[in-house]
Structure formats: structure tokens, C-alpha cells
């Protein structure tokens, strides 16, 4: 199965700052089959980005995704207070679908 | 608005069968455009895709769990069911159901989840 490794484990930033989250795949993943989710405590994951760079319905444009093959990035251009959460990457190119272990974005 | 609601016992004894139901509203569970999936989350292993099923009953399972899984669909009740057989403490998790469209977003709607503990 495809193993996804996210870095860093924790990102400590202030509101207004830019966040850059990385996800590396153990083998090449088609860009049409890569996604990012946000999860807050007590809630299910929320789809942010799919097909590497397409924002899901209702997701603000400060969230953007990029990457290809084995290296993918989620960027939050200016952190809002509601953006502090855990973020997961996912590949759905090959079965089983797999997720990264998560990056926590915390308030500095 | 698509809504999914998981239900089932919160406590299951080791070696028994964990049975959960996902009730879908706001969407047709018989749509050929969608699969309906199960995902679980633990502090140790994180998010794990369990499997999914389509309107016809065609199911796909995570190979790591395949021998212990049964996923079924009941369009008349708008429900998807998950059974995990011969459970151990490692099956203790938050279990989510989600819509898994054939095209576009991978998991666009999720239930709130149901917590299951395996313990005697």
C-alpha cells in the first residue's frame, strides 16, 4: 500500500502567517487522486482539497494545494483563528486508500 | 444536504462481531454515481479506510481487514452496514461512514462518527 508521510508533525504559527504542509508518498500517486482534509476536535474530517488542487465546496481560497508524483503541499496563505486544526493528506489512486498521520497546526 | 448517521453498540466483547449501521438522508443510496464507505480512526494508527460498497452491493475491502469484514447495503432503508468479525482491542476506534463519489471528491460527506470500544 502507499504510505503517506506528513511533515512537520506540528507547525506552530501565529494568525496571519503562512502555513506550508508537506506530504510525501512512498510511490507515485496520480494528481487526480490526492486530497487534503482538516479535522477539529470532536468532528469528522472535512474535505478541503481534492485532485491535488481543487478546493471542495465552500472552502476559502486561502487554502491551496499543489504537487505531483510523490510530493504534495497544502498551503494556507494567511492563517485565520478557525484554521488551527489537524490536517491529513490522502491518496485514492490505489487500493487501499491511505491517509497520512497528520500535521497539527497550533497557535504559537 | 447529504447527511449520514452512524449507529451501533459502543461496547463489543473481544472475539465477537462489531455491527454498525449508517443511515443516509438527502441523497439516494441507490445512485450509480456513489460508493458508501467506512473509515475508522485511532490515536495509534490514525485514519484507516475500511472499505466501501455501491448500489449493487459490490464491495471493496482493505486487504488488511478483508478476512474479517462484511459491508452490505439496504436501499429500502437507505442504510449501509459494517460488520467486523472476531474483534480485538485493536478494533477500538471511532468509526465514520462517508459518501465516496465515483468521480470528483473522494469523501465529500461524513457522519459524525460512532465510538466503539472492544473490551470484556
Amino acid at each position: 500500500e502507499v504510505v503517506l508521510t506528513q511533515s512537520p508533525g506540528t507547525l506552530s504559527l501565529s494568525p496571519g502567517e503562512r502555513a506550508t504542509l508537506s506530504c510525501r508518498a512512498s510511490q507515485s500517486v496520480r494528481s487526480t487522486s490526492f486530497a487534503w482534509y482538516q479535522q477539529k476536535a470532536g468532528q469528522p474530517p472535512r474535505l478541503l482539497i481534492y485532485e491535488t488542487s481543487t478546493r471542495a465546496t465552500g472552502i476559502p481560497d486561502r487554502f491551496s494545494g499543489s504537487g505531483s508524483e510523490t510530493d504534495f503541499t497544502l498551503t494556507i496563505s494567511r492563517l485565520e483563528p478557525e484554521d488551527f486544526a489537524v490536517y491529513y493528506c490522502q491518496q485514492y489512486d490505489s487500493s487501499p486508500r491511505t491517509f497520512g498521520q497528520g500535521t497539527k497546526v497550533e497557535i504559537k | 444536504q447529504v447527511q449520514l448517521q452512524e449507529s451501533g453498540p459502543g461496547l463489543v466483547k473481544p472475539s465477537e462481531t462489531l455491527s454498525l449501521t449508517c443511515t443516509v438522508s438527502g441523497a439516494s443510496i441507490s445512485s450509480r454515481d456513489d460508493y458508501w464507505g467506512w473509515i475508522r480512526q485511532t490515536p495509534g494508527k490514525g485514519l484507516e479506510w475500511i472499505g466501501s460498497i455501491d448500489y449493487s452491493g459490490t464491495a471493496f475491502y482493505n486487504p488488511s481487514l478483508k478476512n474479517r469484514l462484511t459491508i452490505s447495503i439496504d436501499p429500502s432503508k437507505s442504510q449501509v452496514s459494517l460488520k467486523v468479525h472476531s474483534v480485538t482491542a485493536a478494533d477500538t476506534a471511532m468509526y465514520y461512514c462517508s459518501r465516496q463519489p465515483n468521480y470528483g471528491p473522494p469523501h465529500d460527506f461524513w457522519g459524525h462518527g460512532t465510538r466503539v470500544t472492544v473490551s470484556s
Side-chain angles (χ1 to χ4, degrees):
Chain A
E1 69 178 46
V2 178
V3 176
L4 298 177
T5 303
Q6 293 187 239
S7 61
T10 302
L11 201 50
S12 299
L13 295 168
S14 301
E17 289 193 293
R18 181 184 187 90
T20 303
L21 287 68
S22 296
C23 182
R24 177 160 290 179
S26 61
Q27 62 194 71
S28 185
V29 173
R30 286 181 295 179
S31 60
T32 51
S33 303
F34 193 87
W36 291 93
Y37 297 82
Q38 176 194 69
Q39 189 177 32
K40 298 179 180 178
Q43 298 182 17
R46 173 194 181 196
L47 179 66
L48 294 177
I49 301 282
Y50 63 99
E51 296 175 352
T52 294
S53 59
T54 302
R55 280 186 296 277
T57 302
I59 301 303
D61 60 7
R62 64 179 180 273
F63 291 92
S64 63
S66 63
S68 63
E69 297 188 346
T70 60
D71 290 290
F72 296 86
T73 300
L74 173 70
T75 302
I76 310 171
S77 59
R78 288 177 55 84
L79 282 164
E80 298 287 340
E82 62 268 28
D83 299 337
F84 292 91
V86 181
Y87 292 83
Y88 295 95
C89 57
Q90 183 204 25
Q91 68 80 25
Y92 48 105
D93 186 21
S94 61
S95 187
R97 300 181 169 204
T98 52
F99 294 85
Q101 83 280 15
T103 290
K104 181 180 181 181
V105 179
E106 65 176 21
I107 299 176
K108 186 174 181 180
Chain B
Q1 178 76 334
V2 180
Q3 293 186 317
L4 301 92
Q5 179 67 59
E6 305 89 347
S7 59
L11 181 64
V12 182
K13 290 182 168 56
S15 80
E16 294 190 345
T17 295
L18 180 166
S19 296
L20 299 176
T21 299
C22 175
T23 302
V24 178
S25 59
S28 172
I29 203 171
S30 300
S31 169
R32 297 183 179 218
D33 294 333
D34 301 319
Y35 277 76
W36 303 91
W38 289 95
I39 294 163
R40 69 183 184 182
Q41 185 171 29
T42 62
K45 290 192 71 176
L47 289 162
E48 181 179 32
W49 177 79
I50 297 170
S52 60
I53 193 166
D54 75 358
Y55 71 99
S56 69
T58 300
F60 295 89
Y61 299 123
N62 189 321
S64 69
L65 298 166
K66 182 175 182 178
N67 292 339
R68 299 194 294 123
L69 291 180
T70 304
I71 297 177
S72 58
I73 191 167
D74 186 345
S76 68
K77 296 181 179 178
S78 197
Q79 290 180 337
V80 177
S81 296
L82 169 70
K83 293 185 186 299
V84 183
H85 308 283
S86 304
V87 297
T88 69
D91 295 308
T92 294
M94 178 70 82
Y95 285 78
Y96 296 101
C97 62
S98 75
R99 188 173 77 167
Q100 198 173 295
N102 277 329
Y103 305 101
H107 302 274
D108 56 353
F109 291 96
W110 296 63
H112 287 105
T114 187
R115 186 169 299 280
V116 178
T117 300
V118 177
S119 175
S120 55

